[in-house]
């Protein structure tokens, strides 16, 4: 618990029936050594009293932009600057929509816009509201801007419906927050290079050869590494995702550009996590002008692109190398072959034909093979959770080998 001791956590409580769980969360964080400063929305006060949070936290509760608190001058600015972490639990669909749109019409939403601290959001609502495409769009928007969305639980809801949307138990929420503070310095001083998304190989100024990779896995890894204190360079092919907080983003287009960017940094990094889906082939001679549709058949000569990860593996000088293998059959066999051929420390493999796995999804189902041949299989889970696991394995490898990372 030492990691959280003395940290200032701003806890935002919005108007959902699960607001009562925020009382226990406050208590658990306080017992762990944190200073908890509670902001309640007007609707939240219909479920739990201000007095309850004041007595548990030991601090006056902020409820109004125009209220008078002795501790703060301009409340939303002071709280935003004070925070080492901002947690919204429970976060209603209404609050999530406002946060995603950048609306700042009360103390909590203005504090959220003003803070530079990491932000955790714990959704809690009716299952249908949670699964509504608008809510999912809003949550994805928050994720793109670096907000950590805590996964809701499944079970019986207060409205009588059973499904996903419950606020997790306070113990689970507290553990996730404790884990965050425990991991923030675990990669401090390390330089990690992550590649993400696919590459585009030009055919002419209009067309290209590409793949379906969105970059979600690589961006999640980069975000997690930055939260653990690493200096992170993210080399990304074309992607709609925003740069994670604390990550240096370098955008590239083709495999050749990605290769140049990676090699430029390779000597100075401690680890490379190559999650990008790099095109295996490129057009032999891309046209300088748009090719007109004049033939019934079009033969397009292709040549093989350099295998970036293979080249890195042949020139390792203590760096940890983690590769990815997206397969459609014989996943374990093919992944083992790539691990050995490319001289990797770990390979992460998945079958992109499985439901919920592969490209353009928020989830994946993977297996990991270590350089010693150990195989771990993981069930379907969010890519943000898998990023946590991958970096745990990287850190464990460091402990075992005492290499420079």
């Amino acid at each position: 618990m030492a990691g959280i001791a003395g940290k200032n956590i701003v806890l935002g409580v919005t108007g959902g029936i699960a607001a009562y769980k925020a009382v226990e969360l406050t208590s658990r964080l306080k017992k762990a050594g944190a200073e908890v400063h509670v902001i309640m929305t007007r609707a939240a006060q219909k479920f739990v009293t201000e007095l309850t949070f004041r007595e548990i936290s030991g601090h006056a509760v902020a409820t109004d932009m125009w209220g008078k608190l002795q501790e703060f001058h301009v409340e939303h600015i002071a709280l935003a600057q004070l925070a080492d972490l901002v947690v919204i639990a429970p976060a209603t669909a209404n609050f999530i929509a406002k946060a995603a749109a950048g609306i700042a019409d009360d103390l909590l939403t203005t504090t959220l816009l003003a803070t530079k601290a990491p932000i955790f959001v714990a959704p809690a609502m009716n299952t249908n509201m949670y699964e509504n495409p608008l809510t999912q769009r809003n949550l994805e928007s928050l994720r793109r801007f670096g907000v950590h969305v805590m996964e809701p639980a499944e079970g019986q809801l207060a409205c009588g419906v059973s499904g996903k949307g419950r606020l997790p138990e306070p113990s689970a929420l507290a553990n996730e927050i404790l884990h965050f503070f425990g991991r923030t310095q675990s990669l401090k001083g390390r330089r990690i290079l992550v590649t993400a998304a696919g590459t585009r190989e030009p055919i002419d100024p209009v067309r290209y050869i590409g793949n379906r990779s969105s970059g979600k896995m690589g961006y999640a890894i980069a975000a997690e590494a930055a939260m653990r204190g690493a200096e992170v360079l993210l080399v990304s092919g074309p992607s709609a995702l925003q740069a994670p907080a604390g990550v240096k983003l370098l955008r590239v287009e083709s495999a050749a550009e990605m290769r140049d960017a990676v090699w430029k940094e390779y000597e100075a990094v401690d680890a490379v996590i190559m999650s990008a889906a790099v095109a295996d082939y490129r057009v032999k001679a891309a046209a300088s002008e748009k090719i007109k549709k004049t033939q019934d058949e079009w033969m397009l000569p292709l040549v093989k692109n350099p295998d970036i990860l293979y080249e890195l593996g042949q020139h390792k000088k203590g760096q940890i190398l983690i590769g990815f293998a997206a397969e459609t059959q014989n996943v374990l066999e093919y992944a083992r072959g790539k691990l050995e051929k490319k001289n990797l420390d770990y390979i992460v493999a998945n079958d992109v034909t499985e439901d919920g796995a592969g490209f353009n999804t928020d989830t994946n189902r993977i297996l990991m093979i270590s350089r010693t041949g150990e195989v771990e299989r993981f069930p379907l889970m969010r890519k943000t959770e898998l990023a946590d696991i991958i970096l745990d394995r990287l850190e464990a490898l460091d402990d075992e080998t005492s290499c420079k990372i």
Side-chain angles (χ1 to χ4, degrees):
M1 294 185 183
I4 200 172
K7 299 293 185 182
N8 287 298
I9 296 177
V10 172
L11 174 61
V13 184
T14 68
I17 188 64
Y20 75 93
K21 290 185 178 180
V23 177
E24 184 180 342
L25 176 60
T26 302
S27 177
R28 286 178 175 271
L29 295 175
K30 182 73 175 175
K31 289 176 181 177
E35 296 296 327
V36 184
H37 305 271
V38 178
I39 301 175
M40 298 180 71
T41 65
R42 184 177 301 176
Q45 296 170 64
K46 303 293 185 180
F47 294 93
V48 185
T49 68
E50 175 186 341
L51 175 62
T52 301
F53 281 109
R54 188 182 72 195
E55 292 302 310
I56 297 295
S57 69
H59 294 286
V61 176
T63 58
D64 188 351
M65 286 271 296
W66 319 110
K68 294 182 179 180
L69 276 182
Q70 297 299 316
E71 294 182 60
F72 307 107
H73 299 291
V74 182
E75 275 185 63
H76 64 285
I77 300 299
L79 287 166
Q81 293 176 340
L82 176 72
D84 294 301
L85 178 71
V86 176
V87 181
I88 314 299
T92 61
N94 180 63
F95 169 82
I96 289 167
K98 290 200 296 183
I103 293 172
D105 62 354
D106 63 9
L107 179 58
L108 182 55
T109 50
T110 52
T111 300
L112 206 67
L113 278 185
T115 192
K116 291 186 177 181
I119 300 168
F120 280 31
V121 169
M125 65 198 74
N126 167 270
T127 300
N128 293 338
M129 294 176 70
Y130 176 74
E131 294 177 348
N132 188 291
L134 292 172
T135 301
Q136 291 301 310
R137 181 200 66 185
N138 292 334
L139 288 170
E140 185 57 34
S141 179
L142 292 178
R143 290 188 186 99
R144 286 201 304 270
F145 286 99
V147 174
H148 178 79
V149 178
M150 305 166 88
E151 193 71 11
E154 294 188 34
Q156 190 73 25
L157 305 179
C159 60
V161 174
S162 183
K164 196 168 188 177
R166 285 185 59 176
L167 185 70
E169 293 305 309
S171 58
L173 294 172
N175 285 340
E176 194 162 346
I177 294 167
L178 289 168
H179 178 56
F180 167 77
F181 282 107
R183 72 189 177 186
T184 51
Q185 300 303 308
S186 60
L187 287 174
K188 187 175 178 60
R190 313 307 197 208
R191 299 191 75 237
I192 297 178
L193 190 153
V194 181
T195 67
T199 61
R200 291 178 178 175
E201 310 304 321
I203 297 172
D204 60 22
V206 176
R207 307 174 181 92
Y208 62 84
I209 297 173
N211 56 58
R212 302 177 189 277
S213 177
S214 64
K216 289 181 178 180
M217 188 72 253
Y219 278 66
I221 293 170
E224 173 66 21
M227 284 196 290
R228 296 184 184 210
E231 180 183 344
V232 183
L233 172 62
L234 176 60
V235 180
S236 174
S239 174
L241 302 175
Q242 301 291 322
V247 170
K248 180 181 178 182
L249 175 63
L250 176 61
R251 294 192 184 275
V252 297
E253 187 89 6
S254 67
E257 291 175 356
M258 183 169 285
R259 179 176 183 258
D260 290 345
V262 170
W263 271 107
K264 184 178 180 181
E265 301 292 333
Y266 188 45
E267 292 290 329
V269 301
D270 301 298
V272 176
I273 303 175
M274 194 87 179
S275 71
V278 182
D280 294 321
Y281 293 88
R282 69 182 185 276
V283 177
K284 186 174 182 179
S288 59
E289 301 292 340
K290 180 183 176 183
I291 300 171
K292 294 301 181 182
K293 187 170 56 177
T294 59
Q295 304 176 68
D296 292 334
E297 294 184 356
W298 183 13
M299 302 298 291
L300 195 62
L302 303 178
V303 295
K304 187 179 287 187
N305 272 324
D307 188 328
I308 302 171
L309 193 53
Y310 173 82
E311 293 178 347
L312 298 179
Q314 305 314 300
H315 295 84
K316 283 175 68 171
K317 295 180 179 179
Q319 296 96 335
I320 289 176
L321 292 183
I322 298 177
F324 279 69
E327 304 291 352
T328 59
Q329 59 181 334
N330 302 326
V331 177
L332 182 58
E333 177 187 346
Y334 289 157
R336 275 185 172 142
K338 290 180 179 179
L339 175 81
E340 295 171 6
K341 177 184 177 181
K342 300 184 182 187
N343 192 26
L344 306 180
D345 296 289
Y346 265 106
I347 192 161
V348 181
N350 68 300
D351 185 340
V352 296
T353 65
E354 293 184 354
D355 289 340
F359 298 139
N360 275 309
T361 64
D362 293 324
T363 57
N364 208 348
R365 182 183 289 107
I366 66 167
L367 61 83
M368 290 187 68
I369 310 174
S370 72
R371 65 187 181 191
T372 58
E374 295 172 301
V375 179
E376 294 180 276
R377 296 180 184 273
F378 299 93
L380 189 70
M381 61 178 70
R382 283 196 168 274
K383 289 178 177 176
T384 50
E385 297 173 290
L386 291 172
D388 197 33
I389 291 169
I390 290 166
L391 286 168
D392 282 347
R393 299 302 177 272
L394 185 149
E395 291 189 21
L397 188 62
D398 173 28
D399 293 338
E400 292 171 5
T401 62
S402 297
C403 61
K404 76 171 186 175
I405 189 169

